[in-house]
Amino acid sequence: MSSRWEGIDEFVAVAETGQFTAAAERLGVSSSHVSRQIARLEERLQTRLLYRSTRRVTLSEAGQTFLQHCQRLQDGREEALRAMGDLASEPKGLLRMTCAVAYGERFIVPLVTRFMAVYPQLRVDIELSNRTLDLVHEGMDLAIRLGRLQDSRLVATRLAPRRMYLCASPAYLERYGRPHSLSELARHNCLVGSSELWALQQDGREISQRVQGNWRCNSGQAVLDAALQGMGLCQLPDYYVLEHLHSGALVSLLEGHQPPNTAVWALYPQQRHLSPKVRRLVDYLKEGLAQLPEYRQG
């Protein structure tokens, strides 16, 4: 029985060049071989893929659809072969990645810089952005994302925990009192960061609570500074506040309503998950984050 793969390379070559002779030259075979393989392919599929004329070959509607699938098959096959050959090789070439601005500057970029010192053949292009970039469309190899995952098309690796804390300074609580229920948040000055919706938990499910106050800034560090100065309540990730919770400069509030733990994630397109440069950098980031004081003290 003929292989189900026979004729695919010949079909793609003819479709892309528009000629049997050009396709034969690309593949290093005879024109008659190309014609014979495509005829057998059409016979197996019971579908006409190509319209032949004396000067040029054009695709049928079925051929246009089939071409897209075949090109993806070829790309996947080449990627798989490269991945097997690369498994033992060192990271090299260009790696494009993205991360949120503040987290990237504080944690990810310093680790990537140290990683590059170990692998000098690697080039890295890092785009720090608070926009959620489309990795496939933007040609990115890797994204570091915080919180909960949205895009199921991507492969995800958990790099570190991420727990949100609702807290305030002792000075603020002494002056305005301590909230004991979610309904009491409306009576407090809430320091709003990038969103006026705070993630909280009620009756075992996560909810979004709208908060308000007289102060807003889309910088986590700025929110932290304002909370330490006693201006109001804040909700921030663990790496901002753990040190101050341990020292007593901040007090954790409504702990029974804190949202379930989220995480710091590495996301990458399916075809990149075996790439040595991506795989080794992800492992390095996971180990590096675990050693940082902000995570060790948690």
Side-chain angles (χ1 to χ4, degrees), residues 40-166:
R40 290 173 178 172
L41 179 63
E42 289 179 321
E43 184 179 349
R44 291 202 308 277
L45 296 174
Q46 294 294 294
T47 303
R48 178 177 288 278
L49 300 173
L50 302 171
Y51 295 117
R52 301 155 176 84
S53 68
T54 55
R55 292 188 175 183
R56 190 159 182 85
V57 176
T58 57
L59 292 171
S60 67
E61 184 177 353
Q64 292 173 351
T65 301
F66 192 57
L67 175 63
Q68 295 175 3
H69 289 285
C70 290
Q71 288 171 328
R72 285 199 292 270
L73 282 172
Q74 285 186 331
D75 290 343
R77 179 183 63 190
E78 294 306 311
E79 184 70 31
L81 293 172
R82 284 196 300 270
M84 293 303 100
D86 284 346
L87 281 176
S89 68
E90 289 195 350
K92 57 188 175 182
L94 176 64
L95 188 152
R96 301 188 67 230
M97 63 181 295
T98 181
C99 182
V101 178
Y103 192 83
E105 289 177 341
R106 182 171 173 182
F107 297 109
I108 299 301
V109 173
L111 288 172
V112 173
T113 303
R114 295 212 295 268
F115 181 77
M116 291 181 68
V118 179
Y119 300 105
Q121 295 186 70
L122 184 67
R123 295 181 296 122
V124 175
D125 181 348
I126 308 173
E127 181 166 349
L128 297 181
S129 173
N130 292 330
R131 294 186 302 114
T132 301
L133 302 180
D134 185 316
L135 300 194
V136 176
H137 180 72
E138 299 282 348
M140 295 282 182
D141 297 292
L142 176 66
I144 308 302
R145 299 257 170 90
L146 311 175
R148 283 187 169 73
L149 300 181
Q150 303 291 332
D151 197 336
S152 60
R153 300 172 303 164
L154 303 174
V155 179
T157 297
R158 186 177 183 273
L159 296 180
R162 182 178 183 264
R163 185 176 183 185
M164 300 296 291
Y165 285 87
L166 178 64

Side-chain angles (χ1 to χ4, degrees), residues 9-10 13-14 17 19-35 38:
D9 288 339
E10 289 82 357
V14 171
T17 62
Q19 296 179 331
F20 278 81
T21 53
E25 290 176 5
R26 175 194 286 190
L27 298 174
V29 296
S30 66
S31 297
S32 59
H33 171 83
V34 173
S35 180
I38 291 178

